[in-house]
Amino acid sequence: MDHVDPAQPVPEDRAAEPLTEYVQRVNRRVRDFDRRRPLLWDLLLTGFWVVAALIDATGGWRNVAHDPDVPVGLVLALSLALSVPLLWRRSHPAAALVATLPAALVSAWSGAALQAALLQLLLVHHVALRLSLRNLWWAVALVAAPTCVTVARYGDSAGPWNQQLGSQLLSIGVAALIGITVRARRDHTEVLEDRARRLETERDQQIRLAAAAERARIAREMHDIIGHNLSVITGLADGGRYAAAKSPDRAAQALDAISTTSRQALGELRRLLDVLRDDAQDGTSAAPELAPQPALTDLDRLLDGVRQAGLPVRKTVKGEPTLPEGRQLTLYRVIQEALTNTLKHAGPDATADIDLSYGAGGAVTLTVTDTGRAVPPTSPDLTGGRGLPGMRERTSLYGGTLEAGPRPAPERGWRVHLHLPEELPQ
């Protein structure tokens, strides 16, 4: 025989199931069976009460009858008339209650006083459960009518009238109260389930919106990193190709610049992808290589790369730059995108000017102009790309405005104008 150490915990599958959980589990199974086969359940329950009524009609009814000489055939008919309508207790409770009324009145008038008449209380329960509560008034009157008939016909021989009527009304009240309670619990449960469904739907929508916003942010960063560096590489490669025949030294410098720019772009892209990797968050891989976002202090390095790609750039600064990191990143990315578009579309011999004006409270105005050919507004890079939408999204984060378009005649080229207002006090 195996001995069990009392100090060791009992396994969960061998632990005694709490009575409440057992009852709830059985209740759920019964409800599931009822939802799947409602007619079968109604037939089973109605059949049970029909059999009980017929058993009482075989002779037990005489123990409480006021007149034990009522014909047996009439008792059987009344028993069926009082029990069979239970089949429609859920679909048509009011009609079923009305259908039992004649049998209940005949049972009271004849003195049979069949116990099957108590089945009317079950119908009252379903009236309170499924119909408007104002239907309870006439339901109470219908069920109390046979008691009034008994009092009128047999008087005190059946007991004091107030005791008979009071007992009947108390039974009706209990049946109705149970129906109202079950109904209130069911309605409350439905409200909670509906609220849970709406909260789940809202949560899913918020997750989708957050994922869309994150995808847009990632796409914006990827565009800023890859688009700019590839434009610089393209400009350097074009310049190196022309310089190869006449000045091998210049071509070698272009190749060096291409190598440096490519490594820089690859490093920024790798850092971005490392941050996005899921396994870097669960400890299965090394921590990603992190680096701060570019700021205005990195602007000169950006301009040097653009100049090496063949685009002369002049920068003018007014005021003292005292901006938080977020605003600095916005300015850096807008300048980067504007110069990238110039490299792509302005053509040869173009130049670019950057004018930065810092104001009080974090206000700043940026204007980037070039002297190349203006890109028409229907260009795919402007309407279907991510450049200008990305600049506008970054600007709108700080309540700023951004204008981009061809410079007014007779000037040539493209103009990007950004304004960020003062920061609001926290």
Side-chain angles (χ1 to χ4, degrees), residues 4 11 16 83 157 197 211 218 326 337 379:
V4 179
S83 57
S157 63
R197 285 191 297 267
I218 295 171
E337 179 62 28
S379 172

PDB file of all heavy atoms in Angstrom, residues 4 11 16 83 157 197 211 218 326 337 379:
ATOM      1  N   VAL A   4       1.155   8.224   1.614  1.00  0.00           N
ATOM      2  CA  VAL A   4       1.176   9.607   1.128  1.00  0.00           C
ATOM      3  C   VAL A   4       1.713  10.495   2.228  1.00  0.00           C
ATOM      4  O   VAL A   4       1.234  10.436   3.377  1.00  0.00           O
ATOM      5  CB  VAL A   4      -0.244  10.076   0.718  1.00  0.00           C
ATOM      6  CG1 VAL A   4      -0.194  11.520   0.243  1.00  0.00           C
ATOM      7  CG2 VAL A   4      -0.796   9.158  -0.368  1.00  0.00           C
ATOM      8  N   PRO A  11      -1.769  16.951  -5.509  1.00  0.00           N
ATOM      9  CA  PRO A  11      -1.799  17.412  -6.900  1.00  0.00           C
ATOM     10  C   PRO A  11      -3.131  18.059  -7.232  1.00  0.00           C
ATOM     11  O   PRO A  11      -4.181  17.703  -6.688  1.00  0.00           O
ATOM     12  CB  PRO A  11      -1.576  16.121  -7.711  1.00  0.00           C
ATOM     13  CG  PRO A  11      -0.892  15.189  -6.750  1.00  0.00           C
ATOM     14  CD  PRO A  11      -1.419  15.528  -5.403  1.00  0.00           C
ATOM     15  N   ALA A  16      -9.927  17.968  -4.163  1.00  0.00           N
ATOM     16  CA  ALA A  16     -11.380  17.953  -4.186  1.00  0.00           C
ATOM     17  C   ALA A  16     -11.902  19.222  -4.870  1.00  0.00           C
ATOM     18  O   ALA A  16     -11.453  20.322  -4.584  1.00  0.00           O
ATOM     19  CB  ALA A  16     -11.927  17.859  -2.761  1.00  0.00           C
ATOM     20  N   SER A  83     -51.005  20.211 -17.055  1.00  0.00           N
ATOM     21  CA  SER A  83     -49.577  19.914 -17.204  1.00  0.00           C
ATOM     22  C   SER A  83     -49.067  20.015 -18.643  1.00  0.00           C
ATOM     23  O   SER A  83     -47.941  20.452 -18.876  1.00  0.00           O
ATOM     24  CB  SER A  83     -49.272  18.516 -16.658  1.00  0.00           C
ATOM     25  OG  SER A  83     -50.070  17.538 -17.314  1.00  0.00           O
ATOM     26  N   SER A 157     -64.961  25.349   5.272  1.00  0.00           N
ATOM     27  CA  SER A 157     -64.645  23.916   5.308  1.00  0.00           C
ATOM     28  C   SER A 157     -63.295  23.607   4.671  1.00  0.00           C
ATOM     29  O   SER A 157     -62.660  22.599   4.999  1.00  0.00           O
ATOM     30  CB  SER A 157     -65.746  23.113   4.586  1.00  0.00           C
ATOM     31  OG  SER A 157     -65.808  23.482   3.215  1.00  0.00           O
ATOM     32  N   ARG A 197     -17.491  42.795 -24.982  1.00  0.00           N
ATOM     33  CA  ARG A 197     -17.264  42.715 -26.430  1.00  0.00           C
ATOM     34  C   ARG A 197     -16.853  44.060 -26.994  1.00  0.00           C
ATOM     35  O   ARG A 197     -15.948  44.151 -27.841  1.00  0.00           O
ATOM     36  CB  ARG A 197     -18.527  42.200 -27.131  1.00  0.00           C
ATOM     37  CG  ARG A 197     -18.765  40.704 -26.969  1.00  0.00           C
ATOM     38  CD  ARG A 197     -19.860  40.233 -27.913  1.00  0.00           C
ATOM     39  NE  ARG A 197     -21.138  40.852 -27.610  1.00  0.00           N
ATOM     40  CZ  ARG A 197     -22.047  40.319 -26.807  1.00  0.00           C
ATOM     41  NH1 ARG A 197     -21.794  39.165 -26.214  1.00  0.00           N
ATOM     42  NH2 ARG A 197     -23.201  40.927 -26.580  1.00  0.00           N
ATOM     43  N   ALA A 211      -0.366  49.946 -34.096  1.00  0.00           N
ATOM     44  CA  ALA A 211       0.519  49.263 -35.036  1.00  0.00           C
ATOM     45  C   ALA A 211       0.682  50.074 -36.317  1.00  0.00           C
ATOM     46  O   ALA A 211       1.793  50.174 -36.867  1.00  0.00           O
ATOM     47  CB  ALA A 211      -0.039  47.875 -35.352  1.00  0.00           C
ATOM     48  N   ILE A 218       8.158  53.862 -38.405  1.00  0.00           N
ATOM     49  CA  ILE A 218       9.297  53.089 -38.896  1.00  0.00           C
ATOM     50  C   ILE A 218       9.558  53.402 -40.362  1.00  0.00           C
ATOM     51  O   ILE A 218      10.714  53.575 -40.779  1.00  0.00           O
ATOM     52  CB  ILE A 218       9.043  51.585 -38.689  1.00  0.00           C
ATOM     53  CG1 ILE A 218       8.970  51.267 -37.192  1.00  0.00           C
ATOM     54  CG2 ILE A 218      10.112  50.745 -39.353  1.00  0.00           C
ATOM     55  CD1 ILE A 218       8.499  49.860 -36.890  1.00  0.00           C
ATOM     56  N   GLY A 326      13.469  66.587 -29.464  1.00  0.00           N
ATOM     57  CA  GLY A 326      12.434  66.280 -30.444  1.00  0.00           C
ATOM     58  C   GLY A 326      12.358  67.309 -31.549  1.00  0.00           C
ATOM     59  O   GLY A 326      12.246  66.967 -32.745  1.00  0.00           O
ATOM     60  N   GLU A 337      15.517  65.707 -45.737  1.00  0.00           N
ATOM     61  CA  GLU A 337      14.605  65.352 -46.822  1.00  0.00           C
ATOM     62  C   GLU A 337      14.608  66.406 -47.916  1.00  0.00           C
ATOM     63  O   GLU A 337      14.561  66.072 -49.115  1.00  0.00           O
ATOM     64  CB  GLU A 337      13.186  65.163 -46.264  1.00  0.00           C
ATOM     65  CG  GLU A 337      12.137  64.803 -47.296  1.00  0.00           C
ATOM     66  CD  GLU A 337      12.442  63.480 -47.985  1.00  0.00           C
ATOM     67  OE1 GLU A 337      13.097  62.615 -47.376  1.00  0.00           O
ATOM     68  OE2 GLU A 337      12.015  63.326 -49.155  1.00  0.00           O
ATOM     69  N   SER A 379       4.434  65.112 -59.385  1.00  0.00           N
ATOM     70  CA  SER A 379       5.522  64.128 -59.300  1.00  0.00           C
ATOM     71  C   SER A 379       5.186  63.051 -58.293  1.00  0.00           C
ATOM     72  O   SER A 379       4.699  63.327 -57.207  1.00  0.00           O
ATOM     73  CB  SER A 379       6.823  64.825 -58.887  1.00  0.00           C
ATOM     74  OG  SER A 379       7.824  63.867 -58.624  1.00  0.00           O
TER      75      SER A 379
END
